[in-house]
Amino acid sequence: TNSEEVPTEPTELAIQGNLLSWYAVRDDYIAGYRIYEVSENGKETYVASVSQQERKSFLIDNDDVDYTVKTVDYFGNESKQAQEKGEA
């Protein structure tokens, strides 16, 4: 793996009530995940980070907003947006 490769995006992104969850990416060099709010026009607003060792879930406080999760590697590269289950 070189430091230019973009990591794989998370899968199985789901929102149940106010719990956002996803499946971990099993690649090497994964540092964790960044959670973003996504506005109607596609603008991303950073919300939080979750490390690879933590539970792959996050409590959201605004269910009127779309969310996405991106994988981040040790080199600081971000994946594409995770797609919500059923929206592939």
Side-chain angles (χ1 to χ4, degrees), residues 48-88:
S49 292
V50 173
S51 82
Q52 181 72 315
Q53 284 71 44
E54 292 178 89
R55 289 184 59 139
K56 309 305 179 277
S57 62
F58 181 76
L59 282 173
I60 56 177
D61 51 10
N62 184 353
D63 54 13
D64 296 334
V65 180
D66 282 333
Y67 288 86
T68 193
V69 179
K70 296 182 179 185
T71 311
V72 187
D73 65 19
Y74 291 136
F75 309 107
N77 299 316
E78 275 191 350
S79 71
K80 298 187 310 203
Q81 290 185 359
Q83 296 302 310
E84 241 184 285
K85 252 194 326 199
E87 286 187 16

Side-chain angles (χ1 to χ4, degrees), residues 33-51:
Y33 306 88
R34 289 181 186 149
I35 298 153
Y36 292 90
E37 285 183 5
V38 184
S39 67
E40 284 179 22
N41 64 8
K43 182 174 180 293
E44 295 175 0
T45 304
Y46 171 78
V47 178
S49 292
V50 173
S51 82

